[in-house]
């Protein structure tokens, strides 16, 4: 599996991926930095070009996106999906997802201690970061990023590519337009 990104979120995501996919060989993709991050050196191969990624995808077509910014999440997701790769939904074992959660889009990262209530719709490629909560009737658009400890309360609607910062509380019934940052 290729983890797209090699920054802070990737350093957290590799642990969740290793537990969810114990037989997968994890490889990082980072075509932005000039060298591998210190945390990954000696632990993970870091691919630096799309050509390297294409060769690896021929053996293992799975990927997940490990970047925080919504537009970057979308671009990486789309680029790898167009290459025929399979986006994986990542779910930490401590995440709680209620029985009547309506949908969770492909390629979403659900980190530790996340709570997702009933009648919630989550779009493609979202990041639900540590200990955030998404409550009943909420709708989260494609490629949104919900920060650690943030709470999206009942019947909230988030447009696509919204970024909610750590600890934010979005009050019940609110609508947040696409591309917004809170």
């Amino acid at each position: 599996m290729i983890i797209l990104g090699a920054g802070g979120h990737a350093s957290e995501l590799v642990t969740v991926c290793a537990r969810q996919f114990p037989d997968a060989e994890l490889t990082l993709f980072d075509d932005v930095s000039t060298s591998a991050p210190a945390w990954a050196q000696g632990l993970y191969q870091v691919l630096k070009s799309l050509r390297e990624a294409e060769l690896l995808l021929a053996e293992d077509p799975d990927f997940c996106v490990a970047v925080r910014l919504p537009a970057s999440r979308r671009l990486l997701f789309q680029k790898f999906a167009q290459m025929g790769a399979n986006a994986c939904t990542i779910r930490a074992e401590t995440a709680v997802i209620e029985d009547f959660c309506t949908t969770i889009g492909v390629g979403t990262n659900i980190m530790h201690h996340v709570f997702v209530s009933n009648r919630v719709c989550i779009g493609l490629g979202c990041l639900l970061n540590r200990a955030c909560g998404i409550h009943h009737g909420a709708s989260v658009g494609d490629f949104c990023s919900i920060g650690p400890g943030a709470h999206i309360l009942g019947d909230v609607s988030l447009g696509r590519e919204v970024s909610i910062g750590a600890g934010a509380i979005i009050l019940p019934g609110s609508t947040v337009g696409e591309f917004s940052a809170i």
Side-chain angles (χ1 to χ4, degrees), residues 91-97 110-116:
R91 179 181 173 182
E93 66 271 10
T94 59
V96 174
I97 298 175
I110 305 169
M111 302 305 288
H112 286 287
H113 307 291
V114 166
F115 170 75
V116 179

Side-chain angles (χ1 to χ4, degrees), residues 53-61:
E54 285 176 318
L55 292 172
L56 187 57
L57 289 171
E59 298 171 28
D60 179 358

Side-chain angles (χ1 to χ4, degrees), residues 89 97 101-108 110 116 120-124 128:
T89 298
I97 298 175
C101 176
T102 308
T103 58
I104 295 176
V106 172
T108 292
I110 305 169
V116 179
V120 169
C121 293
I122 298 170
L124 295 173
L128 309 183

Side-chain angles (χ1 to χ4, degrees), residues 3 10-20 26 44 93 112:
I3 297 174
S11 70
E12 294 179 11
L13 196 63
V14 294
T15 304
V16 176
C17 287
R19 289 184 182 138
Q20 185 174 346
L26 301 177
Y44 302 99
E93 66 271 10
H112 286 287

Side-chain angles (χ1 to χ4, degrees), residues 4-8 10 28-41 46-49 52 66-67 76:
L4 308 181
L28 304 174
F29 174 79
D30 181 6
D31 63 350
V32 177
S33 301
T34 56
S35 62
W39 68 266
Q41 290 179 4
V46 181
L47 306 177
K48 296 308 232 172
S49 72
E52 289 178 299
V67 296
L76 284 167

Side-chain angles (χ1 to χ4, degrees), residues 89-159:
T89 298
I90 307 302
R91 179 181 173 182
E93 66 271 10
T94 59
V96 174
I97 298 175
E98 295 287 312
D99 292 340
F100 300 107
C101 176
T102 308
T103 58
I104 295 176
V106 172
T108 292
N109 300 164
I110 305 169
M111 302 305 288
H112 286 287
H113 307 291
V114 166
F115 170 75
V116 179
S117 187
N118 294 315
R119 297 183 301 104
V120 169
C121 293
I122 298 170
L124 295 173
C126 292
L127 167 57
L128 309 183
N129 220 321
R130 180 179 284 277
C132 75
I134 302 178
H135 299 268
H136 63 87
S139 174
V140 178
D142 294 344
F143 306 107
C144 288
S145 177
I146 312 299
H151 287 276
I152 311 304
L153 299 180
D155 299 313
V156 164
S157 178
L158 302 182

